[in-house]
Amino acid sequence: MRTEVPFAISLLVLAGCPTDVNVKRFLVPPEVAIETPVEGASIYEAVPVLMRGRVTDEAYQSSLSTITATWAVNGARVCAGTVVDVNGIIECETVFEKGAATVSLVAVNPDGQTASAVVELVITENTAPTAEIVSPVAGTEYFAEDLIVFEGFVGDGETQLDHTTGECR
């Protein structure tokens, strides 16, 4: 059996519904990870280090370049102008001073939602390499047509020397 609802009752039911239905948009912050260097890594001072991070954001996955990402070392901004690429990768090359270093990567999406990642590093002293010429000996006489063989020792406390190059001036 079919029942018809009078038009007036339909309007009354519609009038009872609020017009300002609150549809809420849930804002989700991006996700940030520092891939390199890793937590607790020991790095030599004054040697360039490529830092690499990854940013994801489910709301902006197809437009990750709209996310602002900032690298900082001990609170000071480094690598201004770096951009998140289409794969969510952001890189920054910097050098560190001796001591402890706190590296942070902060991402902000167009909705103003933020996320950050932090790693603590140990920055160790980088000593200068050493070089010693053992031949030719100072004071030895040579003539213009003589072949002069140079020999020496090179050392570096931080680096295993597999291949060295030298230059005579």
Side-chain angles (χ1 to χ4, degrees):
M1 177 160 137
R2 185 174 147 166
T3 307
E4 291 189 25
V5 178
F7 180 71
I9 294 176
S10 297
L11 285 178
L12 188 60
V13 170
L14 287 175
C17 294
T19 58
D20 63 339
V21 175
N22 293 327
V23 177
K24 292 189 179 195
R25 180 176 172 211
F26 291 98
L27 302 177
V28 179
E31 293 182 16
V32 178
I34 297 175
E35 295 179 346
T36 59
V38 297
E39 177 70 28
S42 182
I43 296 174
Y44 292 114
E45 68 177 331
V47 175
V49 174
L50 180 64
M51 301 184 296
R52 180 182 170 113
R54 184 174 301 274
V55 177
T56 58
D57 191 316
E58 62 185 51
Y60 293 94
Q61 199 59 42
S62 64
S63 57
L64 288 171
S65 63
T66 62
I67 295 174
T68 304
T70 306
W71 289 97
V73 175
N74 293 333
R77 185 175 179 179
V78 293
C79 301
T82 53
V83 178
V84 179
D85 74 11
V86 296
N87 298 311
I89 303 297
I90 182 163
E91 295 180 327
C92 170
E93 186 173 80
T94 192
V95 294
F96 295 91
E97 295 178 10
K98 186 179 174 193
T102 301
V103 174
S104 64
L105 176 58
V106 177
V108 182
N109 70 16
D111 294 327
Q113 299 295 303
T114 64
S116 64
V118 175
V119 293
E120 299 288 333
L121 307 175
V122 176
I123 312 304
T124 58
E125 184 176 9
N126 186 5
T127 57
T130 59
E132 177 187 0
I133 297 175
V134 293
S135 174
V137 178
T140 306
E141 271 188 49
Y142 293 94
F143 296 99
E145 65 276 353
D146 287 346
L147 175 65
I148 302 172
V149 177
F150 287 84
E151 291 182 284
F153 297 106
V154 177
D156 188 0
E158 293 87 19
T159 308
Q160 178 66 33
L161 298 176
D162 296 331
H163 177 75
T164 57
T165 59
E167 184 177 311
C168 294
R169 291 187 183 200

